[in-house]
Amino acid sequence: MPFSLHGIGVSRGYAIGRTYLLQRNQPEITEYTIPDSIIEDEVERFLNGLALARRQLREVRGRIPIAIPGDAAAFIDTHLLMLEDAALTEAPVDLIRVHKCNAEWALKTQRDFLVRVFEEMDDPYLRTRKDDVDHVVRRVQRILATDDPAYLNDPDYAELIASRLEGRIIVADDLTPADTILMQHQGVLAFVTEYGGPLSHTAILARSLGIPAVVGARNARAYLGNDEPVIVDGRQGVILVGLDERILRYYRHKQHEERRQQRELNKLKDKPAITGDGVTIGLYANIELPEDAAAVREVVADGIGLYRTEFLFMNRSEPPDEEEHLASYLHVIKTLEGSPITIRTADLGADKQVDGGRSGPVSTNPALGLRAIRMCLKDLGMFRPQLRAILRASAHGPVRMMIPMLSAIQEVFQVLRLVAETKQELRDRGLAFDESLPVGGMIEIPAAAVCADQFARYLDFLSIGTNDLIQYSLAIDRVDDEVNYLYDPLHPGVLMLIWNTIRAGRKAGIPVSLCGEMAGDPRYTRLLLGLGLTQFSMHPSNLLEVKRAIQGSEVGALGKIARRLLRTTDAEEYAETLKTIAQN
Ligand code: PEP
Ligand code: MG
């Protein structure tokens, strides 16, 4: 009897194959008292467990094939750093000594504390980083659970190597970056996990590795048998079970078609993004980690339109210093070989503590609280090193600086003053920088979009952050599933704000780009062209599809229809006009 399971499609592509159910039982953790005389032995047992976990991860890191993008190593490094951080090395030891409890219990207590801290974070990416805590802690718990003191082999690794995974579809509760790497090594066809979201490591790695993946498929292991033939649709987030020949034929055809299309898209890599009527469009990429820059080169983007530097701040107890910022930026500059790079200053929020242990008051409405540029202007001790590093990086390549979440023009003045001061500081230190470093701002707050003319007067470029712009203009929390259905990029109010920002930039003679998710969705490409957009910035994996939508479109005609769209007050005509644009 055919049926389907649903999750979130996070890495597109179809896989047809047999399941491999990964059942990893976590040891039951109970608390027991350790007699005073052997407390230090317990501490030592814990520290040995940590040391072994580190050795195992280094071993996995050494197995990453060279051809795999930088994400993989970066994720393993993150776990290694966590295993060296005081939050996991010292805090549990204190707990063992103070509470005279066993190592497993101390680790569990500290894990619960850290997970709570991450869960309170506003940023969806940082919130999913609680998975890292879990992955690392689980590894140590499994080591502590074994009786064999000489136990040196990684049990996960041993299981993965022993089981032939080639051509299999992995179904698991959750996968660590280490699992994902080892499995890729073995030629798995797809991943299905019961937990995780689009920003989980499995999702990010699967996309980088080009392996179809569905995450958040609740209870998948309860419904699927081992070695069962299934189809995974990584775009729609569907797992089909109970296949008959007709379904198989249909999906083989789709798989074939998808591969053919990908080959066609790959041919566009070296072609310019020019519309049918000769308008050249800039296609830029969004990155989160310095290692992502390799994927940008792979799709031959015009540069980086959004480098989300807040990822530098994650999983650590202190914010990065100037040299660390600089090293990351230089890595990106070197990889991009002369293409422009837009470095966005930290988009951290009030509840995104840079020091995981120091919890200040949590705002009741963090999206409207002390985040992004507001937080940077309040915490200059954190902001200044980043400003210095961006300026110093500008001596090595075409760098632009971008300010997130501007609401008041005074924020621009403050930043420009700080930039001027920083330049003087660098001159005094005899350090090189680009005297005319372009400083731009993100338009993601409706009030800023309405008076974009003001911002365009003082800034060198604007970039529209539709993820937040939609959130704020439609009053929809972008991370709240309950109101997701109202999240509508095509709402006339949203399009008016986008159009007004583009118009303001054109009037002031400065470039305007759009770097929210909308820019990477080919369904919106022609509409955005019609609204006058000439620069798009998106995840590198979307770039070629957007380029295809650009080629063959007629900006002149699209502009006329878009103006009609913005004028109409008739909902039916609005919907019809949108359709016309999509087909034009
Ligand atoms: C946006 O808000 O559209 C944007 C690009 O920034 P982020 O998603 O990082 O908030
Ligand atoms: Mg934003």
Side-chain angles (χ1 to χ4, degrees):
M1 171 79 176
F3 66 95
S4 60
L5 297 177
H6 296 256
I8 310 164
V10 291
S11 180
R12 62 179 78 151
Y14 301 99
I16 303 172
R18 289 181 175 272
T19 55
Y20 181 90
L21 260 51
L22 204 60
Q23 304 279 14
R24 267 189 203 141
N25 297 326
Q26 258 319 101
E28 187 77 15
I29 310 290
T30 49
E31 182 181 13
Y32 54 89
T33 306
I34 304 289
D36 281 342
S37 57
I38 53 167
I39 286 280
E40 288 313 308
D41 295 343
E42 189 65 3
V43 168
E44 196 182 326
R45 187 168 78 90
F46 171 69
L47 293 177
N48 286 342
L50 279 185
L52 182 49
R54 282 195 292 264
R55 267 211 304 282
Q56 291 175 348
L57 280 181
R58 277 191 215 107
E59 154 98 347
V60 173
R61 198 186 189 291
R63 287 174 186 273
I64 300 173
I66 295 170
I68 291 189
D71 292 356
F75 288 151
I76 299 289
D77 286 342
T78 304
H79 284 194
L80 276 166
L81 279 174
M82 288 177 97
L83 283 170
E84 280 158 12
D85 194 284
L88 280 182
T89 56
E90 289 169 20
V93 168
D94 291 344
L95 286 167
I96 295 171
R97 287 189 178 133
V98 173
H99 296 290
K100 304 185 194 314
C101 63
N102 50 320
E104 292 87 343
W105 190 257
L107 188 56
K108 178 190 176 312
T109 308
Q110 180 62 4
R111 173 260 171 215
D112 293 348
F113 166 73
L114 293 172
V115 164
R116 266 198 311 280
V117 171
F118 276 97
E119 272 172 348
E120 280 165 8
M121 291 180 173
D122 176 40
D123 183 289
Y125 181 86
L126 292 180
R127 210 166 39 222
T128 59
R129 297 292 62 90
K130 75 178 169 42
D131 299 349
D132 290 309
V133 177
D134 264 334
H135 292 159
V136 166
V137 166
R138 256 190 265 159
R139 177 176 291 273
V140 183
Q141 294 286 25
R142 277 202 292 269
I143 292 172
L144 291 174
T146 172
D147 298 332
D148 180 359
Y151 162 75
L152 277 174
N153 292 319
D154 180 348
D156 299 350
Y157 180 65
E159 181 190 343
L160 294 181
I161 292 299
S163 18
R164 297 215 171 75
L165 299 183
E166 192 177 346
R168 302 292 285 273
I169 289 166
I170 305 298
V171 185
D173 55 345
D174 186 19
L175 293 170
T176 68
D179 295 333
T180 316
I181 291 161
L182 291 173
M183 290 177 187
Q184 192 272 348
H185 215 38
Q186 290 216 58
V188 303
L189 287 184
F191 297 118
V192 175
T193 64
E194 295 178 344
Y195 300 100
L199 301 174
S200 62
H201 279 159
T202 310
I204 295 171
L205 274 178
R207 278 196 294 270
S208 304
L209 301 170
I211 297 176
V214 175
V215 300
R218 293 295 152 110
N219 300 318
R221 287 173 309 162
Y223 293 107
L224 299 173
N226 194 35
D227 209 20
E228 182 160 9
V230 296
I231 293 172
V232 175
D233 178 345
R235 189 191 285 259
Q236 301 295 336
V238 178
I239 303 116
L240 293 165
V241 196
L243 312 172
D244 61 27
E245 197 41 48
R246 205 167 36 99
I247 301 178
L248 274 171
R249 244 197 338 268
Y250 174 73
Y251 273 92
R252 278 197 200 107
H253 172 73
K254 276 179 88 108
Q255 193 178 38
H256 178 78
E257 201 34 39
E258 164 127 347
R259 286 183 184 152
R260 191 189 61 75
Q261 286 212 13
Q262 192 54 50
R263 280 198 299 276
E264 285 303 308
L265 279 178
N266 286 343
K267 288 186 197 156
L268 297 181
K269 276 185 190 170
D270 296 313
K271 301 255 163 39
I274 299 183
T275 65
D277 48 353
V279 180
T280 301
I281 304 297
L283 293 184
Y284 297 83
N286 296 351
I287 64 164
E288 269 103 46
L289 299 167
E291 293 78 13
D292 296 341
V296 179
R297 240 186 38 187
E298 174 64 24
V299 293
V300 199
D302 291 313
I304 288 171
L306 168 63
Y307 174 9
R308 292 182 163 106
T309 59
E310 51 276 12
F311 291 86
L312 276 177
F313 292 75
M314 74 185 205
N315 292 330
R316 52 190 301 153
S317 49
E318 291 298 324
D321 64 17
E322 179 180 331
E323 297 305 323
E324 225 176 312
H325 275 291
L326 182 63
S328 303
Y329 306 156
L330 291 182
H331 177 96
V332 178
I333 290 171
K334 195 162 158 233
T335 313
L336 268 277
E337 292 176 338
S339 307
I341 293 153
T342 311
I343 303 176
R344 177 172 77 179
T345 57
D347 190 7
L348 292 158
D351 55 342
K352 288 179 229 159
Q353 303 277 341
V354 282
D355 174 344
R358 187 184 52 202
S359 49
V362 174
S363 157
T364 48
N365 212 335
L368 306 181
L370 191 67
R371 59 169 285 209
I373 191 58
R374 301 170 181 183
M375 186 180 179
C376 287
L377 290 174
K378 185 126 184 179
D379 188 350
L380 292 180
M382 181 188 80
F383 193 32
R384 284 187 192 275
Q386 178 164 42
L387 288 180
R388 288 195 292 268
I390 294 175
L391 272 160
R392 286 175 62 192
S394 71
H396 300 265
V399 166
R400 312 195 302 173
M401 180 175 116
M402 181 158 82
I403 314 158
M405 217 202 158
L406 289 167
S407 58
I409 194 72
Q410 282 72 20
E411 290 163 338
V412 174
F413 299 153
Q414 269 177 283
V415 171
L416 293 179
R417 242 191 335 267
L418 280 168
V419 170
E421 280 172 27
T422 312
K423 284 180 175 174
Q424 190 50 48
E425 221 182 295
L426 295 183
R427 275 184 216 109
D428 294 345
R429 282 164 64 192
L431 294 169
F433 61 89
D434 173 9
E435 285 284 353
S436 50
L437 170 88
V439 178
M442 286 191 71
I443 301 295
E444 9 186 27
I445 293 180
V450 170
C451 56
D453 286 314
Q454 258 194 39
F455 288 92
R457 247 184 96 179
Y458 297 99
L459 290 167
D460 298 312
F461 64 94
L462 300 178
S463 189
I464 307 170
T466 42
N467 305 342
D468 278 316
L469 186 63
I470 297 167
Q471 148 166 275
Y472 294 128
S473 50
L474 301 183
I476 298 160
D477 187 339
R478 63 192 260 195
V479 295
D480 185 345
D481 291 346
E482 298 286 337
V483 288
N484 245 345
Y485 72 103
L486 290 168
Y487 199 86
D488 180 14
L490 299 175
H491 189 293
V494 172
L495 298 190
M496 290 293 272
L497 294 172
I498 293 175
W499 174 79
N500 195 54
T501 308
I502 296 170
R503 191 193 53 83
R506 187 177 301 140
K507 262 174 55 187
I510 61 166
V512 178
S513 74
L514 192 147
C515 61
E517 290 304 300
M518 208 178 164
D521 189 331
R523 287 174 304 171
Y524 306 133
T525 307
R526 292 184 175 200
L527 171 63
L528 293 171
L529 289 172
L531 294 174
L533 191 72
T534 53
Q535 292 189 2
F536 295 63
S537 189
M538 67 202 81
H539 190 276
S541 64
N542 296 328
L543 197 131
L544 296 174
E545 268 190 279
V546 170
K547 190 186 275 190
R548 184 170 58 189
I550 288 168
Q551 291 179 337
S553 64
E554 299 282 330
V555 171
L558 286 169
K560 280 194 200 121
I561 314 174
R563 282 195 288 281
R564 198 167 79 224
L565 179 81
L566 295 179
R567 272 198 309 269
T568 184
T569 51
D570 183 280
E572 222 168 281
E573 187 186 346
Y574 188 81
E576 276 309 308
T577 314
L578 277 176
K579 262 195 228 155
T580 316
I581 290 177
Q583 289 153 7
N584 224 276

